[in-house]
Amino acid sequence: MEMKWLPPADKPEFAFIGHSNVGKSSLINLLSRLDMARVSNKPGRTKTLNHFLIDRKWYMVDCPGYGYAKVSRDERLKWHDLTKAYFEERTSLAQVLLLIDAGHAPQAIDVECAAWLAENKVAFSLVYTKTDVHHPGLDAPAHNIAAFNNAVATVSGVSPPYFPTSATTGHGREPLLKYLAQLKHAFKIPLVFH
């Protein structure tokens, strides 16, 4: 898929990215209250930038996950290049929502993604998923959230807004939707002349 195949850049877009199996599709479905995004138990199902039009006014964009998807290295690089180009070039991209599994300690790949977004001046927020899950023998989600926020601040020098959520319980849905509404209202798509 190339950028030319994307919908016209005439509505604000919010991109959802994170580790494979972090719950991107579940969060999109929670926010929309529709089963728009395909939820799979098999990581790596999302292979393109999937645009979901909301109220005919804005898009939620499901980006390919990174991490342990069982695809070839070349295929992973294609996904990476497409997502990177989208983040750097898309004029209608209002915000990237970096999803982090709150049930696990900070993962280097997630910290690196946040650092890249900050370094490249891509507006982003952190959305913690699965806050209702506490794995035996691991730190509680609240501890992992604090640790990740500290890691991002240390590596990137920024402290982006963050939102704890659970697709299972619905926790965090309203604050996140309110935040997205504020961003949509303030976002102006730049005029592009060809």
Side-chain angles (χ1 to χ4, degrees):
M1 177 181 206
E2 296 179 33
M3 296 282 285
K4 66 183 179 184
W5 299 113
L6 299 180
D10 59 358
K11 294 173 181 60
E13 298 177 16
F14 296 89
F16 292 69
I17 190 164
H19 203 277
S20 295
N21 210 30
V22 73
K24 292 186 310 295
S25 298
S26 296
L27 183 64
I28 288 170
N29 291 340
L30 171 70
L31 294 175
S32 69
R33 294 218 185 217
L34 300 169
D35 288 333
M36 299 171 63
R38 182 174 174 212
V39 177
S40 173
N41 290 331
K42 183 179 177 186
R45 284 282 185 197
T46 305
K47 296 180 175 144
T48 62
L49 298 170
N50 295 311
H51 283 67
F52 300 104
L53 183 60
I54 309 297
D55 298 329
R56 297 186 182 141
K57 296 180 182 173
W58 60 287
Y59 287 102
M60 286 192 271
V61 183
D62 190 2
C63 299
Y66 52 80
Y68 52 76
K70 292 183 180 179
V71 296
S72 71
R73 182 178 182 278
D74 287 344
E75 187 73 14
R76 277 196 310 275
L77 289 174
K78 282 182 197 171
W79 296 351
H80 172 77
D81 290 344
L82 173 66
T83 304
K84 182 178 168 189
Y86 173 71
F87 289 166
E88 292 176 330
E89 300 169 19
R90 189 69 167 174
T91 57
S92 54
L93 179 62
Q95 183 98 172
V96 172
L97 303 173
L98 175 57
L99 277 60
I100 308 297
D101 185 340
H104 297 281
Q107 304 293 307
I109 195 167
D110 294 323
V111 175
E112 289 167 12
C113 184
W116 184 90
L117 291 167
E119 180 180 315
N120 288 279
K121 307 223 181 323
V122 177
F124 75 102
S125 301
L126 302 173
V127 178
Y128 293 96
T129 62
K130 306 178 186 182
T131 57
D132 58 315
V133 179
H134 184 176
H135 300 288
L138 298 178
D139 289 324
H143 180 271
N144 295 331
I145 290 170
F148 192 83
N149 286 343
N150 289 336
V152 169
T154 300
V155 170
S156 69
V158 299
S159 296
Y162 69 94
F163 299 88
T165 66
S166 167
T168 303
T169 67
H171 172 74
R173 180 182 186 273
E174 294 307 318
L176 184 52
L177 282 174
K178 183 177 179 181
Y179 176 69
L180 295 178
Q182 291 168 345
L183 292 174
K184 282 185 300 195
H185 181 71
F187 185 75
K188 304 290 183 234
I189 298 173
L191 295 175
V192 177
F193 298 99
H194 297 281

